[in-house]
Amino acid sequence: MIIYLHGFDSTSPGNHEKVLQLQFIDSDVRFVNYSTQHPKHDMQHLLKEVSKLVEESKDDAPLICGVGLGGYWSERIGYLCNIKQVIFNPNLSPEDNMQGRIDRPEEYTDIATKCISEFRSKNKDNCLVILSKTDDIRDSNLTNEALSPYYTIVWDEKEGHKFKKISQHLQQIKNFKAK
């Protein structure tokens, strides 16, 4: 089973395309929708939904996957649910860069203070990070600096922030899920 979390733009047609592409790895791909507007509510909702899916699944190696803001949530929720994560161009600082776009961006800071300290050290090697060299929204080099001590980083030469096409990474994701 693969659980897919959309980014800030939940209605992007690219979400459907990514779900279809992920089905080449596992026919059981679950799309979990969340508001993106209320971080504390989103965290509670995502934790409840993902925990339920993992509990009901017969898959020994479920995976959670997300792009942008979905990558932010995939890393945290995946860690809390003890499943592997694949994140594309994750938004690591929504408390800073979502000002004016969501109701309470400061809740991300509050979430960070309530999370387990040093969770990335404890999550080491359980997350695969795929970064775009041509990300038009985030600075991939800063993301690389923050995450490379903990996770494998894969660089993509062609895709932009939203990663319309992920097929070139499917074999690597499949291998990561299986190991």
Side-chain angles (χ1 to χ4, degrees):
M1 174 179 65
I2 298 175
I3 300 164
Y4 177 78
L5 303 182
H6 60 80
F8 181 69
D9 181 5
S10 63
T11 61
S12 169
N15 289 317
H16 180 67
E17 292 298 319
K18 284 186 269 300
V19 167
L20 291 176
Q21 291 173 60
L22 289 168
Q23 287 177 337
F24 284 103
I25 297 172
D26 191 316
S27 60
D28 186 10
V29 178
R30 310 291 179 97
F31 183 89
V32 178
N33 195 20
Y34 60 102
S35 78
T36 74
Q37 295 297 309
H38 310 299
K40 282 186 179 180
H41 172 75
D42 288 345
M43 180 148 184
Q44 291 171 343
H45 170 72
L46 289 168
L47 193 54
K48 179 180 156 196
E49 290 300 309
V50 172
S51 293
K52 182 174 80 175
L53 290 171
V54 169
E55 192 176 293
E56 292 171 354
S57 176
K58 296 190 184 346
D59 189 338
D60 292 337
L63 180 80
I64 190 167
C65 178
V67 178
L69 189 60
Y72 171 90
W73 287 118
S74 292
E75 182 190 18
R76 282 154 182 78
I77 301 297
Y79 170 74
L80 292 171
C81 291
N82 197 31
I83 61 174
K84 288 183 177 179
Q85 312 102 49
V86 174
I87 56 179
F88 292 85
N89 290 334
N91 182 349
L92 299 183
S93 304
E95 66 278 7
D96 296 327
N97 56 46
M98 299 301 280
Q99 297 285 336
R101 299 180 81 186
I102 64 172
D103 287 348
R104 296 180 288 274
E106 68 279 358
E107 288 183 0
Y108 285 109
T109 304
D110 190 48
I111 288 166
T113 63
K114 289 182 172 48
C115 283
I116 297 165
S117 63
E118 303 293 324
F119 88 93
R120 287 189 176 127
S121 295
K122 295 171 180 152
N123 193 42
K124 191 167 175 61
D125 299 325
N126 283 324
C127 185
L128 177 65
V129 182
I130 304 174
L131 299 175
S132 172
K133 287 209 173 184
T134 59
D135 190 332
D136 48 326
I137 306 282
R138 305 275 166 255
D139 185 339
S140 294
N141 292 315
L142 293 176
T143 304
N144 179 50
E145 286 175 27
L147 299 180
S148 63
Y150 310 103
Y151 311 135
T152 298
I153 306 293
V154 175
W155 288 96
D156 184 281
E157 300 286 337
K158 296 178 183 168
E159 293 300 314
H161 180 72
K162 289 188 177 187
F163 262 94
K164 291 179 184 172
K165 183 177 156 218
I166 63 171
S167 57
Q168 66 276 27
H169 301 289
L170 292 180
Q171 189 59 49
Q172 193 161 21
I173 295 168
K174 182 178 181 176
N175 293 342
F176 178 73
K177 182 181 185 308
K179 73 173 180 175

